[in-house]
Amino acid sequence: MLRGFSEADVKALAKVCELRTMSEGTTVFLENMPGEALFLVRKGTIRISKMFAEGDEKTLVVLGPEDIFGEMAVIDGLPRSATARIAEDAELISLKKKDFELLSQSNAQLAFKLLSNIVMVFSKRVREASEEHRDMLIWSLQAS
């Protein structure tokens, strides 16, 4: 998320971010909650999951240090598409949508750098998910 940031950029961004320490088992956010902030994992692990039919919860991914999640919240503010829970005691750096909007007004260049990095992370995830989906389709056709 901080690729290409100078030390001055990191300090400026730190002014609008919050460090949160959370214990294992704590829910960061639930699926369908309003999206209000993105998170950068500084320490620990986070389990991202989704509810399916009959109340089954499936783990989509486990994230660790330097991973970001909930990033779409600062862009669209729509409800969360998954649940995030602390899998191992964690330190998270959060950036609220309202603070990102203020940053966009006060330091457009820094906000653009951050947004570009968020888009790159999101794009990578979409590509990886598309490849996994393709592989699953190929496997299911071969198994038939």
Side-chain angles (χ1 to χ4, degrees):
M1 184 173 92
L2 303 177
R3 177 178 287 154
F5 278 41
S6 67
E7 190 174 322
D9 290 339
V10 172
K11 285 180 182 179
L13 186 58
K15 291 178 183 176
V16 295
C17 290
E18 177 184 333
L19 180 63
R20 300 168 74 182
T21 301
M22 302 179 87
S23 301
E24 181 177 334
T26 304
T27 300
V28 181
F29 55 76
L30 293 169
E31 186 174 346
N32 296 318
M33 278 179 60
E36 298 173 347
L38 70 75
F39 299 88
L40 170 66
V41 182
R42 184 170 179 209
K43 186 171 148 182
T45 56
I46 314 304
R47 184 171 63 92
I48 307 297
S49 61
K50 188 151 183 71
M51 293 300 292
F52 289 96
E54 291 91 39
D56 293 334
E57 188 171 356
K58 180 179 180 346
T59 297
L60 302 175
V61 67
V62 176
L63 303 173
E66 298 185 18
D67 285 329
I68 65 169
F69 63 99
E71 65 276 1
M72 294 309 294
V74 298
I75 297 170
D76 62 18
L78 293 175
R80 300 291 188 179
S81 60
T83 294
R85 287 196 179 86
I86 306 298
E88 175 187 308
D89 290 355
E91 288 182 0
L92 305 177
I93 299 170
S94 68
L95 174 63
K96 294 178 182 169
K97 180 175 176 49
K98 66 179 177 114
D99 292 326
F100 177 73
E101 289 169 353
L102 290 172
L103 179 67
S104 296
Q105 294 170 5
S106 65
N107 191 338
Q109 187 175 16
L110 179 59
F112 180 77
K113 272 187 193 179
L114 180 60
L115 187 58
S116 293
N117 287 348
I118 290 170
V119 169
M120 286 189 344
V121 167
F122 184 73
S123 176
K124 180 181 177 198
R125 287 183 183 162
V126 168
R127 288 179 195 275
E128 288 171 355
S130 294
E131 288 174 14
E132 285 179 25
H133 182 70
R134 179 188 56 104
D135 291 346
M136 285 189 325
L137 285 174
I138 290 170
W139 180 83
S140 69
L141 291 173
Q142 291 173 345
S144 325

